[in-house]
Amino acid sequence: MEFTHVGGNDKGKIILYAISTCIWCKKTKQLLSDLDIAYDYIDVDLLPENEKEIIRKEVLRWKQRVAYPLIVVNDSVCIPTYDPDKIKEVLGE
């Protein structure tokens, strides 16, 4: 499965799980871009069913229900929703 890389300042490994039509996912992408932070994202709704299931299991590792956006930072911190203050805090902005 292929993630899309967005360039910017390196703040570690930042993965965004998103839905292509979700306004909160779009706001999260825009915030990360406005902060000039490099990240990788995947629009889960555009994946084949077998890959959606893999992502679903990954999301459930971090939160108790599947919802997007979900940001995982350095495989250790999860930001389970669009939360600009939390995103800035975790990423040191």
Side-chain angles (χ1 to χ4, degrees):
M1 123 183 31
E2 192 169 321
F3 285 77
T4 300
H5 180 74
V6 178
N9 293 318
D10 184 4
K11 298 283 185 170
K13 181 182 174 187
I14 300 169
I15 303 292
L16 169 63
Y17 298 97
I19 298 293
S20 65
T21 57
C22 164
I23 188 69
W24 302 112
C25 299
K26 291 177 182 178
K27 286 180 178 271
T28 302
K29 290 175 184 175
Q30 186 62 53
L31 177 63
L32 292 171
S33 293
D34 288 348
L35 295 172
D36 194 27
I37 294 173
Y39 66 101
D40 294 293
Y41 75 91
I42 194 160
D43 288 322
V44 179
D45 58 316
L46 302 179
L47 296 173
E49 288 302 321
N50 63 324
E51 292 182 355
K52 284 181 188 175
E53 182 60 23
I54 293 168
I55 296 296
R56 183 181 154 286
K57 289 178 181 174
E58 178 64 16
V59 168
L60 289 173
R61 270 187 45 204
W62 296 101
K63 59 197 285 189
Q64 294 186 356
R65 65 181 181 92
V66 177
Y68 304 97
L70 172 76
I71 299 173
V72 177
V73 180
N74 293 325
D75 294 321
S76 61
V77 176
C78 169
I79 304 170
T81 187
Y82 175 70
D83 183 342
D85 292 337
K86 184 71 172 176
I87 292 169
K88 290 175 185 175
E89 175 190 326
V90 169
L91 299 177
E93 293 295 319

